[in-house]
Structures are given as structure tokens and as C-alpha cells.
Amino acid sequence: LQEVGEPLKEEKAVAKYLRFNCPTKSTNMMGHRVDYFIASKAVDCLLDSKWAKAKKGEEALFTTRESVVDYCNRLLKKQFFHRALKVMKMKPDKDTKKEKEKGKAESGKEEEKKSKKESGKDEKTKKEKEKEKKKDGEKEECKKDETPGTPKKKETKRKFKLEPHEDQVFLDGNEVYVWIYDPVHLKTFAMGLVLVIAVIAATLFPLWPAEMRVGVYYLSVGAGCFVASILLLAVARCILFLIIWLITGGRHHFWFLPNLTADVGFIDSFRPLYTHEYKGPKADSKKEEKTESKKQQKYDSEEKSDSEKKEEEDGKTEATRNSGTDGSGGERHSDTDSDRREDDRSQHSSGNGNDFEMITKEELEQQTDEGDCEEEEEENTESRPSHEK
């Protein structure tokens, strides 16, 4: 067994660089808060460091990933960090059963909704189906931005805990290593030093020069006045709001400096200067009028489409009727009937002085009925014997 000596300056420098530049995460291990890193990221970090570049007259310390792994094994043996094992936390059986029951209940509700929709669609006619499709399309376009069509499952990260690994070796991959080496950063050292100096200076306040003590006194008085003015403003704005609210009967809501006590920055707490809202019957009526106007526009567009369809259907039925009446009249009327009608029309035109005359549908049907009766009488006369004639 080789004895592990004390770390060298170079090893301390490399470990310090790795500690502050390699991405780390914190977790609990054996009841303590620890920081850990992943081996592959540590290797990448050292390959981008200054030790991976060759200097004048010297070779680079890190040339390949294997050289970095060998050097990290030296750091591990000198207890800068140690290898840990990820152990995933298993959920209890009760939670799994509850999740399964919830999934089954949700699936059952979705199936019931689907069956109801299908039964309703079967009962409706084709025209109603087309209208519903148009409405559904409009609603879906409106709801795409507001609400998702299907509920999304929440993405939950699997929790794990760390345990010490039996085989303490550095391997390039997704292995986890916990930091033991925890040096003090330069920033924290500087902040602590400034804090100590400030505390000592405050305790030596009686020994300060007279001018400095007077200046500090005026600064403290000014800061106190500023804090008091903000508190008075917070009370005054509430009183002003109550007065306006009582005078107007709760219709006008006026806030002076609305963000003064909000959880915002110093400058944002003074803007906007005021806000005003009117919550009376007119505001409600305007909202209702807007909603009604939108609904009426939708209904008008739907009614127009329905009326156009009805007009087209009526036109088709009239055309078929006219064609049917013309065909039947041409077949039934004989030559004598046509001659008689032409004579009657010529008499009407000569009497009135007009070449054409408008005839209604009722007159046309009566004329066709009379022509049929005359044809039946002629057939009966032909079928009688000669002595009866």
C-alpha cells in the first residue's frame, strides 16, 4: 500500500479551480447538506482550464481525458472529494394505488362524455350537424390559446438520495462525487472583512470627529423622516380611498400610489401615481352590451346562412314544379284545347289592347282541370253506340 502524503500546491490550485468552476448541486446525505458534481463535467472543466494549455518550456498537464481521470484519482485519494451512489426513493404503495384510482376515474369520465356526445349526434339531422360543426370549429379556435384540449400530466422529478460508495475510484461518466474540500471564496472573505470593520467603527462612534458625528446625526434624522413619511402616506391613501368610496356609494375606486405597499422595487413602488376604476351600473351595462352585440353578430351570420339555404331549396322546388306542370299539360291537352286557348287569349288581348296577359297559378290549374274534363267527355261520346248518338 502506498502512503498518501499531503496535497501539493498545484493539487490545491487544481482542486480550488474545480470547486468554484465545475457545476455543482446540493442535496442531503446522511443527514448533512453536501455539494456534489458529475465526473464527465469535471473532466470537461479541467480540459478547458489553463493547465490544458502548454507553456513555454513546459508541457500541458492535461492533454487527454485519460490524463484528467488519472489526476482526479490522485485528488480523490488525498480526500478532496469521495465517490457516492445514487439511490432512487421508492414511492409507498398507498400513493401508487391512489394514482391508479385517479387515472381510472378520469378515463371513465372521458368515456361517458364521449358516449353522450355520440348519442346526441345520432339523434340530430344533417343540417343540425353542419351547424354544430361550424360552431365547434369556432369554439376550438377561440379556446386554443385559453385552455388546452386535454389535461397535461405534471412532470415530476424522481427523488434520490446519496450514499457512500464502496469502490472509491474516479471514473469518467455520470458518476457522482461529493465535495469534502470547501475553501473560502474571495468574495465571502471580503464581505466578512467589511462587516467586521463596520461593527468596529460603530462601536468607536464617541471617538469620531465632531463634524462626522453631526453629519451622521442629520443622516439618521433624514432616514427616520423618510420612513415616517412613507408610513403616513400608506395610512392617508387608505383614508382617501374610503372617503371617495363612501361619497360615491362604492362606484368609484381611487387609489393614490397603488404599489406603495406592494412587493416591488423602490422605484416601482411610486409608479403609477394613481389608479381609478368605475364599478357602477353603466360599466356593467356596457359589458353586457358588448357581449350581447357579439352574440347577435354570431346569430345574424348563422341566420343568414340558414335563410340562404332555404331560398335555394325553395327555388329548386319551384323549378321542379313548373317543369312538372308544363310536361303534364303538354301531354294531356289535345289540339282542340290548344286552339281554343289561343282563341281565348287573342280575344282577351284584342279587348284589352295588350299582347300578353299574366296568369296566376290557380287559373292555370283550373284550366288544366277543365281540359281534362273535356277530354273525358269526348272519349265517352266516342265509346257510345251510333243509335244513342
Side-chain angles (χ1 to χ4, degrees), residues 69-103:
V69 170
D70 293 335
Y71 197 89
C72 288
N73 272 313
R74 285 167 58 187
L75 296 177
L76 188 143
K77 287 176 182 178
K78 292 185 179 181
Q79 296 183 355
F80 283 98
F81 48 82
H82 65 88
R83 189 180 178 187
L85 181 65
K86 268 187 181 181
V87 179
M88 306 306 291
K89 291 182 179 180
M90 300 299 291
K91 291 183 179 180
D93 296 334
K94 293 181 180 179
D95 296 336
T96 55
K97 287 179 180 178
K98 287 180 181 179
E99 288 179 357
K100 287 179 181 179
E101 288 176 357
K102 286 180 182 179

Short mmCIF file of all heavy atoms in Angstrom, two decimals, residues 69-103:
data_model
loop_
_atom_site.label_atom_id
_atom_site.label_comp_id
_atom_site.label_asym_id
_atom_site.label_seq_id
_atom_site.Cartn_x
_atom_site.Cartn_y
_atom_site.Cartn_z
N VAL A 69 -8.49 11.96 -15.80
CA VAL A 69 -9.02 10.94 -14.90
C VAL A 69 -7.94 10.47 -13.93
O VAL A 69 -8.19 10.28 -12.72
CB VAL A 69 -9.59 9.77 -15.72
CG1 VAL A 69 -9.93 8.58 -14.82
CG2 VAL A 69 -10.83 10.21 -16.50
N ASP A 70 -6.71 10.29 -14.40
CA ASP A 70 -5.61 9.88 -13.52
C ASP A 70 -5.33 10.93 -12.45
O ASP A 70 -5.10 10.60 -11.28
CB ASP A 70 -4.35 9.63 -14.35
CG ASP A 70 -4.51 8.42 -15.27
OD1 ASP A 70 -5.36 7.55 -14.95
OD2 ASP A 70 -3.82 8.37 -16.31
N TYR A 71 -5.35 12.21 -12.85
CA TYR A 71 -5.09 13.29 -11.90
C TYR A 71 -6.22 13.38 -10.85
O TYR A 71 -5.96 13.61 -9.67
CB TYR A 71 -4.94 14.62 -12.64
CG TYR A 71 -4.28 15.69 -11.83
CD1 TYR A 71 -2.90 15.84 -11.84
CD2 TYR A 71 -5.03 16.56 -11.05
CE1 TYR A 71 -2.27 16.81 -11.10
CE2 TYR A 71 -4.42 17.55 -10.29
CZ TYR A 71 -3.04 17.67 -10.33
OH TYR A 71 -2.41 18.63 -9.57
N CYS A 72 -7.47 13.18 -11.31
CA CYS A 72 -8.61 13.23 -10.37
C CYS A 72 -8.56 12.05 -9.39
O CYS A 72 -9.03 12.17 -8.25
CB CYS A 72 -9.92 13.22 -11.15
SG CYS A 72 -10.27 14.77 -12.01
N ASN A 73 -8.01 10.92 -9.83
CA ASN A 73 -7.82 9.80 -8.90
C ASN A 73 -6.85 10.18 -7.78
O ASN A 73 -7.04 9.77 -6.62
CB ASN A 73 -7.31 8.57 -9.66
CG ASN A 73 -8.45 7.73 -10.21
OD1 ASN A 73 -9.40 7.44 -9.50
ND2 ASN A 73 -8.36 7.36 -11.48
N ARG A 74 -5.82 10.95 -8.10
CA ARG A 74 -4.88 11.43 -7.08
C ARG A 74 -5.60 12.35 -6.09
O ARG A 74 -5.40 12.26 -4.87
CB ARG A 74 -3.73 12.17 -7.75
CG ARG A 74 -2.72 11.24 -8.43
CD ARG A 74 -1.79 12.02 -9.34
NE ARG A 74 -1.06 13.05 -8.61
CZ ARG A 74 -0.28 13.96 -9.18
NH1 ARG A 74 -0.13 13.96 -10.51
NH2 ARG A 74 0.35 14.86 -8.46
N LEU A 75 -6.47 13.24 -6.61
CA LEU A 75 -7.21 14.15 -5.74
C LEU A 75 -8.19 13.38 -4.85
O LEU A 75 -8.40 13.74 -3.68
CB LEU A 75 -7.98 15.18 -6.59
CG LEU A 75 -7.13 16.14 -7.43
CD1 LEU A 75 -8.04 17.04 -8.26
CD2 LEU A 75 -6.21 16.98 -6.56
N LEU A 76 -8.78 12.33 -5.40
CA LEU A 76 -9.71 11.52 -4.61
C LEU A 76 -9.00 10.82 -3.46
O LEU A 76 -9.51 10.74 -2.34
CB LEU A 76 -10.41 10.51 -5.52
CG LEU A 76 -11.56 9.71 -4.92
CD1 LEU A 76 -12.66 9.51 -5.94
CD2 LEU A 76 -11.09 8.35 -4.44
N LYS A 77 -7.77 10.31 -3.74
CA LYS A 77 -7.01 9.61 -2.70
C LYS A 77 -6.57 10.57 -1.60
O LYS A 77 -6.44 10.18 -0.44
CB LYS A 77 -5.79 8.93 -3.30
CG LYS A 77 -6.16 7.70 -4.13
CD LYS A 77 -4.93 7.11 -4.79
CE LYS A 77 -5.32 5.91 -5.65
NZ LYS A 77 -4.14 5.33 -6.36
N LYS A 78 -6.38 11.84 -1.95
CA LYS A 78 -6.00 12.84 -0.96
C LYS A 78 -7.21 13.52 -0.33
O LYS A 78 -7.09 14.56 0.30
CB LYS A 78 -5.08 13.87 -1.60
CG LYS A 78 -3.73 13.27 -1.97
CD LYS A 78 -2.75 14.28 -2.49
CE LYS A 78 -1.42 13.58 -2.82
NZ LYS A 78 -0.41 14.52 -3.32
N GLN A 79 -8.40 12.91 -0.55
CA GLN A 79 -9.63 13.26 0.15
C GLN A 79 -10.10 14.69 -0.13
O GLN A 79 -10.56 15.41 0.77
CB GLN A 79 -9.48 13.04 1.65
CG GLN A 79 -9.26 11.59 2.01
CD GLN A 79 -9.18 11.37 3.51
OE1 GLN A 79 -9.20 12.32 4.28
NE2 GLN A 79 -9.08 10.11 3.92
N PHE A 80 -10.01 15.10 -1.38
CA PHE A 80 -10.65 16.34 -1.78
C PHE A 80 -12.14 16.11 -2.03
O PHE A 80 -12.95 17.00 -1.84
CB PHE A 80 -9.99 16.89 -3.06
CG PHE A 80 -8.66 17.55 -2.81
CD1 PHE A 80 -7.48 16.87 -3.02
CD2 PHE A 80 -8.59 18.85 -2.34
CE1 PHE A 80 -6.25 17.47 -2.81
CE2 PHE A 80 -7.37 19.47 -2.11
CZ PHE A 80 -6.20 18.77 -2.35
N PHE A 81 -12.50 14.93 -2.47
CA PHE A 81 -13.89 14.51 -2.68
C PHE A 81 -13.93 13.00 -2.58
O PHE A 81 -12.88 12.34 -2.58
CB PHE A 81 -14.42 15.01 -4.03
CG PHE A 81 -13.52 14.74 -5.19
CD1 PHE A 81 -13.50 13.51 -5.82
CD2 PHE A 81 -12.66 15.73 -5.67
CE1 PHE A 81 -12.66 13.26 -6.89
CE2 PHE A 81 -11.82 15.50 -6.75
CZ PHE A 81 -11.82 14.26 -7.36
N HIS A 82 -15.13 12.45 -2.51
CA HIS A 82 -15.28 11.00 -2.47
C HIS A 82 -16.48 10.59 -3.33
O HIS A 82 -17.39 11.39 -3.59
CB HIS A 82 -15.45 10.49 -1.03
CG HIS A 82 -16.72 10.96 -0.37
ND1 HIS A 82 -17.91 10.30 -0.46
CD2 HIS A 82 -16.95 12.06 0.41
CE1 HIS A 82 -18.83 10.95 0.22
NE2 HIS A 82 -18.28 12.02 0.75
N ARG A 83 -16.43 9.34 -3.76
CA ARG A 83 -17.46 8.81 -4.65
C ARG A 83 -18.72 8.46 -3.85
O ARG A 83 -18.66 7.95 -2.74
CB ARG A 83 -16.93 7.57 -5.38
CG ARG A 83 -17.84 7.07 -6.49
CD ARG A 83 -17.23 5.86 -7.13
NE ARG A 83 -18.07 5.30 -8.18
CZ ARG A 83 -17.84 4.16 -8.80
NH1 ARG A 83 -16.78 3.44 -8.47
NH2 ARG A 83 -18.65 3.73 -9.75
N ALA A 84 -19.89 8.75 -4.46
CA ALA A 84 -21.18 8.45 -3.84
C ALA A 84 -22.05 7.65 -4.79
O ALA A 84 -21.79 7.58 -6.01
CB ALA A 84 -21.89 9.74 -3.44
N LEU A 85 -23.10 7.06 -4.26
CA LEU A 85 -24.00 6.20 -5.03
C LEU A 85 -25.40 6.78 -4.96
O LEU A 85 -25.89 7.14 -3.89
CB LEU A 85 -24.00 4.77 -4.46
CG LEU A 85 -24.89 3.75 -5.18
CD1 LEU A 85 -24.38 3.50 -6.58
CD2 LEU A 85 -24.93 2.46 -4.38
N LYS A 86 -26.03 6.90 -6.14
CA LYS A 86 -27.40 7.39 -6.22
C LYS A 86 -28.37 6.26 -5.90
O LYS A 86 -28.33 5.21 -6.53
CB LYS A 86 -27.71 7.92 -7.62
CG LYS A 86 -27.46 9.40 -7.81
CD LYS A 86 -27.95 9.81 -9.18
CE LYS A 86 -27.69 11.29 -9.42
NZ LYS A 86 -28.20 11.71 -10.74
N VAL A 87 -29.28 6.52 -4.97
CA VAL A 87 -30.31 5.54 -4.61
C VAL A 87 -31.65 6.22 -4.80
O VAL A 87 -31.95 7.21 -4.12
CB VAL A 87 -30.14 5.04 -3.16
CG1 VAL A 87 -31.24 4.04 -2.82
CG2 VAL A 87 -28.78 4.43 -2.98
N MET A 88 -32.47 5.71 -5.75
CA MET A 88 -33.77 6.32 -6.04
C MET A 88 -34.74 5.99 -4.92
O MET A 88 -34.80 4.87 -4.43
CB MET A 88 -34.32 5.81 -7.36
CG MET A 88 -33.36 5.98 -8.54
SD MET A 88 -32.77 7.68 -8.76
CE MET A 88 -34.27 8.48 -9.27
N LYS A 89 -35.52 7.00 -4.53
CA LYS A 89 -36.54 6.82 -3.50
C LYS A 89 -37.79 6.19 -4.10
O LYS A 89 -38.32 6.69 -5.10
CB LYS A 89 -36.89 8.15 -2.86
CG LYS A 89 -35.77 8.74 -2.01
CD LYS A 89 -36.21 10.04 -1.38
CE LYS A 89 -35.11 10.62 -0.52
NZ LYS A 89 -35.52 11.90 0.12
N MET A 90 -38.25 5.10 -3.52
CA MET A 90 -39.46 4.42 -3.98
C MET A 90 -40.67 5.01 -3.28
O MET A 90 -40.66 5.27 -2.09
CB MET A 90 -39.37 2.92 -3.67
CG MET A 90 -38.20 2.22 -4.35
SD MET A 90 -38.27 2.31 -6.15
CE MET A 90 -39.68 1.24 -6.43
N LYS A 91 -41.74 5.18 -4.06
CA LYS A 91 -42.98 5.71 -3.50
C LYS A 91 -43.69 4.61 -2.73
O LYS A 91 -43.65 3.44 -3.10
CB LYS A 91 -43.89 6.22 -4.62
CG LYS A 91 -43.36 7.48 -5.29
CD LYS A 91 -44.34 7.96 -6.31
CE LYS A 91 -43.83 9.23 -6.99
NZ LYS A 91 -44.78 9.72 -8.00
N PRO A 92 -44.40 4.95 -1.65
CA PRO A 92 -45.18 3.93 -0.92
C PRO A 92 -46.33 3.41 -1.75
O PRO A 92 -46.75 4.01 -2.74
CB PRO A 92 -45.67 4.69 0.32
CG PRO A 92 -45.61 6.12 -0.05
CD PRO A 92 -44.47 6.27 -1.01
N ASP A 93 -46.85 2.24 -1.32
CA ASP A 93 -47.91 1.59 -2.07
C ASP A 93 -49.20 2.41 -2.06
O ASP A 93 -49.99 2.37 -3.01
CB ASP A 93 -48.20 0.19 -1.48
CG ASP A 93 -46.99 -0.72 -1.64
OD1 ASP A 93 -46.20 -0.47 -2.58
OD2 ASP A 93 -46.83 -1.65 -0.83
N LYS A 94 -49.44 3.16 -0.98
CA LYS A 94 -50.68 3.93 -0.91
C LYS A 94 -50.74 4.99 -2.00
O LYS A 94 -51.77 5.20 -2.64
CB LYS A 94 -50.79 4.60 0.46
CG LYS A 94 -50.97 3.61 1.59
CD LYS A 94 -51.08 4.35 2.92
CE LYS A 94 -51.28 3.37 4.07
NZ LYS A 94 -51.37 4.08 5.37
N ASP A 95 -49.62 5.67 -2.22
CA ASP A 95 -49.60 6.71 -3.24
C ASP A 95 -49.82 6.12 -4.62
O ASP A 95 -50.53 6.69 -5.45
CB ASP A 95 -48.26 7.46 -3.21
CG ASP A 95 -48.09 8.21 -1.90
OD1 ASP A 95 -49.12 8.52 -1.27
OD2 ASP A 95 -46.93 8.48 -1.53
N THR A 96 -49.22 4.98 -4.91
CA THR A 96 -49.40 4.36 -6.22
C THR A 96 -50.84 3.92 -6.43
O THR A 96 -51.40 4.07 -7.53
CB THR A 96 -48.46 3.14 -6.34
OG1 THR A 96 -48.71 2.24 -5.23
CG2 THR A 96 -47.01 3.58 -6.33
N LYS A 97 -51.47 3.40 -5.38
CA LYS A 97 -52.87 2.99 -5.51
C LYS A 97 -53.77 4.19 -5.77
O LYS A 97 -54.70 4.13 -6.59
CB LYS A 97 -53.32 2.26 -4.24
CG LYS A 97 -52.73 0.87 -4.10
CD LYS A 97 -53.20 0.21 -2.81
CE LYS A 97 -52.59 -1.19 -2.67
NZ LYS A 97 -53.01 -1.83 -1.39
N LYS A 98 -53.52 5.29 -5.07
CA LYS A 98 -54.33 6.49 -5.27
C LYS A 98 -54.19 7.02 -6.69
O LYS A 98 -55.16 7.42 -7.33
CB LYS A 98 -53.91 7.57 -4.28
CG LYS A 98 -54.37 7.29 -2.86
CD LYS A 98 -53.91 8.41 -1.94
CE LYS A 98 -54.35 8.13 -0.50
NZ LYS A 98 -53.89 9.19 0.44
N GLU A 99 -52.96 7.01 -7.21
CA GLU A 99 -52.74 7.49 -8.57
C GLU A 99 -53.47 6.62 -9.58
O GLU A 99 -54.05 7.11 -10.55
CB GLU A 99 -51.24 7.52 -8.87
CG GLU A 99 -50.52 8.64 -8.15
CD GLU A 99 -49.05 8.63 -8.46
OE1 GLU A 99 -48.61 7.72 -9.18
OE2 GLU A 99 -48.34 9.54 -7.99
N LYS A 100 -53.46 5.29 -9.38
CA LYS A 100 -54.16 4.40 -10.29
C LYS A 100 -55.66 4.64 -10.25
O LYS A 100 -56.34 4.66 -11.29
CB LYS A 100 -53.86 2.94 -9.93
CG LYS A 100 -52.44 2.51 -10.29
CD LYS A 100 -52.21 1.07 -9.89
CE LYS A 100 -50.78 0.63 -10.23
NZ LYS A 100 -50.53 -0.77 -9.80
N GLU A 101 -56.23 4.83 -9.04
CA GLU A 101 -57.66 5.08 -8.92
C GLU A 101 -58.04 6.39 -9.59
O GLU A 101 -59.07 6.48 -10.26
CB GLU A 101 -58.04 5.12 -7.44
CG GLU A 101 -58.00 3.74 -6.78
CD GLU A 101 -58.29 3.81 -5.29
OE1 GLU A 101 -58.46 4.96 -4.79
OE2 GLU A 101 -58.34 2.76 -4.64
N LYS A 102 -57.21 7.42 -9.42
CA LYS A 102 -57.49 8.69 -10.09
C LYS A 102 -57.47 8.54 -11.60
O LYS A 102 -58.32 9.08 -12.31
CB LYS A 102 -56.45 9.74 -9.66
CG LYS A 102 -56.66 10.25 -8.25
CD LYS A 102 -55.59 11.28 -7.92
CE LYS A 102 -55.77 11.78 -6.49
NZ LYS A 102 -54.72 12.77 -6.14
N GLY A 103 -56.49 7.79 -12.13
CA GLY A 103 -56.41 7.58 -13.57
C GLY A 103 -57.63 6.85 -14.10
O GLY A 103 -58.17 7.18 -15.16
#
